[in-house]
């Protein structure tokens, strides 16, 4: 969790100044399962199995909490920037008279980047009030299996699975008031899975 916030019940008088509250979250998660040397070998049977799993939950948020107040501002901006990379790789080999190699690589990922003007919060400014989110996620899931059988059977199976929930959101449940500017709420999300 990466969080920048104005606590509940806080009052900030900017005295015609500006406020910029920004949360920047950047993560890289690497999970790898592979044999220490050459995999599994056996004269009669060689069985090698590999399972790599990534369980990810990342939150980047900029929040003005319930009951917090910002007054007399020139410009006010809340921003959240999330950048996340996940690499998951399962690798195994087996050799023998009968060789069997199952390989599994799984990613279960939740990435959230958000800006929230909570219920009961108040922002007043003469200029712009902005809520802005940028979110990127790059997920790579890979499984490699190699079976070499000198007898009747060589079987290699690979299963790679990614389940991703990527959210980029700006929520304005509070009161945003500007006398001479604009209220801008923007979110951008780019997710790449391979």
């Amino acid at each position: 969790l990466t969080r920048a916030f104005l606590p509940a019940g806080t009052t900030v008088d900017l005295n015609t100044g500006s406020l910029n509250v920004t949360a920047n979250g950047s993560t890289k998660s690497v999970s790898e399962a592979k044999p220490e040397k050459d995999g599994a070998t056996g004269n009669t049977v060689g069985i090698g199995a590999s399972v790599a799993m990534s369980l990810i939950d990342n939150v980047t948020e900029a929040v003005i909490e319930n009951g917090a107040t910002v007054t007399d501002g020139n410009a006010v901006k809340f921003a959240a920037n999330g950048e996340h990379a996940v690499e998951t790789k399962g690798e195994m080999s087996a050799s023998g008279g009968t060789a069997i190699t199952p390989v599994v690589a799984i990613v279960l990922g939740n990435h959230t980047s958000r800006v929230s003007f909570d219920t009961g919060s108040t922002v007043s400014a003469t200029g712009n009030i902005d809520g802005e989110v940028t979110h990127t996620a790059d997920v790579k899931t890979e499984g490699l299996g190699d079976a070499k059988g000198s007898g009747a059977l060589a079987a290699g199976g690979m299963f790679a699975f990614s389940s991703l929930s990527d959210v980029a959101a700006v929520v304005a449940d509070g009161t945003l008031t500007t006398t001479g500017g604009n209220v801008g709420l923007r979110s951008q999300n780019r997710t790449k899975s391979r």
Side-chain angles (χ1 to χ4, degrees):
L1 173 64
T2 302
R3 192 168 199 260
F5 65 102
L6 198 59
T10 302
T11 298
V12 177
D13 185 344
L14 294 177
N15 195 25
T16 71
S18 296
L19 176 66
N20 189 335
V21 178
T22 301
N24 293 311
S26 179
T27 64
K28 182 174 183 179
S29 302
V30 178
S31 298
E32 188 174 54
K34 64 179 183 178
E36 189 172 327
K37 292 186 179 179
D38 298 326
T41 61
N43 292 330
T44 306
V45 178
I47 299 176
S50 179
V51 177
M53 179 176 286
S54 295
L55 303 175
I56 310 295
D57 189 7
N58 291 311
V59 177
T60 303
E61 63 181 9
V63 180
I64 176 168
E65 293 185 341
N66 182 20
T69 301
V70 177
T71 63
D72 197 21
N74 176 26
V76 176
K77 181 177 181 179
F78 281 74
N81 305 305
E83 182 177 358
H84 308 289
V86 181
E87 296 179 8
T88 305
K89 182 178 181 180
E91 183 178 353
M92 181 54 76
S93 64
S95 62
T98 298
I100 301 173
T101 308
V103 176
V104 178
I106 297 175
V107 176
L108 303 175
N110 296 306
H111 300 112
T112 301
S113 299
R114 72 182 194 108
V115 166
S116 180
F117 299 89
D118 282 355
T119 302
S121 65
T122 302
V123 178
S124 301
T126 57
N128 291 342
I129 300 173
D130 291 304
E132 186 173 298
V133 170
T134 58
H135 178 88
T136 61
D138 189 348
V139 178
K140 181 178 181 182
T141 309
E142 186 176 13
L144 301 172
D146 182 26
K148 296 179 181 179
S150 59
L153 176 64
M158 188 277 291
F159 176 74
F161 175 76
S162 296
S163 176
L164 306 173
S165 174
D166 283 275
V167 177
V170 180
V171 180
D173 289 329
T175 302
L176 310 178
T177 305
T178 175
T179 57
N182 298 307
V183 174
L185 307 176
R186 296 174 293 275
S187 65
Q188 181 179 12
N189 186 358
R190 183 191 67 83
T191 301
K192 181 179 180 182
S193 178
R194 51 201 158 100

